[in-house]
Amino acid sequence: MKLTKSQIQTYEDNGYLVLPDLFTRDEVDVLIHELTATAAITDERVIKEKAGPAIRMVYGLHDRSGPTGSVGYESLVRSARLLQPALDLLGEPANVFHSKVNLKEAINGEFWQWHQDFGNWSSEDAVAAPHMVTSLVLLDQATEVGGCLYFIPGSHKGGLLPPKLDQRTSVKLWTVSKDQMIEAVEKFGEPVAVTGGPGTVVMFHPYLLHGSGQNMSTHERKQFYCVYNAVSNKLGPVAAPRPEYKASRRSSAVQMSNQDVIVGASVLESA
Ligand SMILES: O=C(O)CCC(=O)C(=O)O
């Protein structure tokens, strides 16, 4: 699926692009099924909430050489529907910098502070340039009460703000200060809620200001994030390189699948 000129323009203007219903309900069901099996394992890739046993994140789902790897997520990151739009925006082959599912348990699932992803990737991994794009796949209905993401449209044009380390949740995050957020909202406008149905894809820029609130609903929230990085965009030397599943230093490009289908492990085993 190639992006149109007008879709690329929308991404450049707003810093994000919504592609509704790109994956079917059946495909999303495959992904949820595989997530449930994977999330049950004990591994550092499975991160819990600070205040309890609920899972907050699962890294490495697309990488079948690791313990959380799954057939379904590998086929997702290699599918033409997810990969081609990323290549259209990046203009060159890309690899997967990381993939993860962020969950938010019903009622208690915690917030994500306002931040720019590149604040993390420059601080932790010395990534050279924001020549990257995040492709978010909604795995259930994203709602405001359920702790959906919020974006500040156009804020990617403001460049990188000085990142500020915040460790209030179980995830160490380089965030944007209160004063800078107030300034950004005055300049770019109020936050917009990123809502939509399962199978919807939202692509966003590494400088886009975003965050999300607590899940106040009675339903768990699940969102898959795949970060594609242009192969020419290298990670620099750092004192303590993060593991491959958080910040891939592989230079080989991800190969697009011949068939644009999301295949589950059970399908593969019975083939
Ligand atoms: O899942 C969320 O609500 C926000 C996650 C996020 O912004 C991130 O992982 O960088």
Side-chain angles (χ1 to χ4, degrees):
M1 192 207 120
K2 285 203 79 70
L3 293 181
T4 63
K5 274 193 184 146
S6 117
Q7 286 174 315
I8 293 175
Q9 193 60 51
T10 300
Y11 179 85
E12 283 172 3
D13 291 345
N14 297 336
Y16 69 97
L17 175 69
V18 181
L19 304 170
D21 305 325
L22 210 52
F23 295 95
T24 65
R25 182 71 248 190
D26 285 351
E27 288 174 316
V28 170
D29 284 347
V30 167
L31 296 169
I32 291 175
H33 181 76
E34 299 216 338
L35 172 69
T36 308
T38 302
I41 70 168
T42 303
D43 187 84
E44 61 183 14
R45 291 165 184 76
V46 181
I47 298 169
K48 306 275 167 71
E49 292 280 7
K50 199 164 200 168
I55 295 168
R56 180 173 175 87
M57 292 175 91
V58 183
Y59 271 109
L61 287 148
H62 74 284
D63 182 1
R64 287 173 64 203
S65 67
T68 49
S70 113
V71 177
Y73 288 91
E74 185 195 49
S75 61
L76 177 62
V77 305
R78 295 182 56 206
S79 69
R81 273 172 293 171
L82 202 67
L83 179 55
Q84 187 60 56
L87 299 180
D88 291 345
L89 294 177
L90 295 172
E92 64 169 288
N95 53 45
V96 177
F97 178 70
H98 68 224
S99 79
K100 62 192 181 189
V101 170
N102 287 356
L103 299 102
K104 270 191 199 180
E105 70 164 327
I107 308 288
N108 294 322
E110 277 203 283
F111 61 93
W112 287 78
Q113 308 89 319
W114 285 111
H115 66 283
Q116 296 170 300
D117 285 335
F118 202 71
N120 290 279
W121 304 333
S122 58
S123 305
E124 297 283 342
D125 314 307
V127 180
H131 200 31
M132 309 164 93
V133 60
T134 298
S135 300
L136 156 64
V137 184
L138 302 180
L139 297 179
D140 44 32
Q141 190 71 37
T143 63
E144 296 200 47
V145 69
C148 71
L149 271 183
Y150 286 86
F151 289 157
I152 306 292
S155 57
H156 64 304
K157 292 184 177 162
L160 184 64
L161 304 173
K164 184 172 167 279
L165 189 59
D166 185 335
Q167 308 211 62
R168 275 178 292 163
T169 72
S170 59
V171 176
K172 175 181 170 190
L173 198 67
W174 291 85
T175 61
V176 169
S177 73
K178 178 177 161 187
D179 287 349
Q180 284 191 303
M181 270 315 295
I182 292 171
E183 216 175 284
V185 168
E186 279 167 6
K187 189 166 174 190
F188 296 106
E190 291 293 328
V192 298
V194 184
T195 55
T200 291
V201 170
V202 184
M203 307 180 75
F204 61 98
H205 190 281
Y207 281 168
L208 191 72
L209 286 164
H210 64 284
S212 64
Q214 184 177 329
N215 184 356
M216 304 286 286
S217 79
T218 52
H219 307 283
E220 183 182 63
R221 192 216 71 172
K222 296 177 275 306
Q223 300 191 161
F224 173 74
Y225 297 78
C226 177
V227 181
Y228 293 106
N229 185 19
V231 286
S232 66
N233 193 29
K234 301 294 180 214
L235 282 64
V238 288
R242 294 200 296 168
E244 180 68 24
Y245 66 84
K246 283 190 180 168
S248 176
R249 288 175 181 264
R250 279 182 204 144
S251 54
S252 53
V254 60
Q255 296 303 308
M256 196 176 294
S257 307
N258 295 331
Q259 289 179 323
D260 189 359
V261 286
I262 305 308
V263 189
S266 53
V267 175
L268 208 70
E269 278 154 18
S270 61

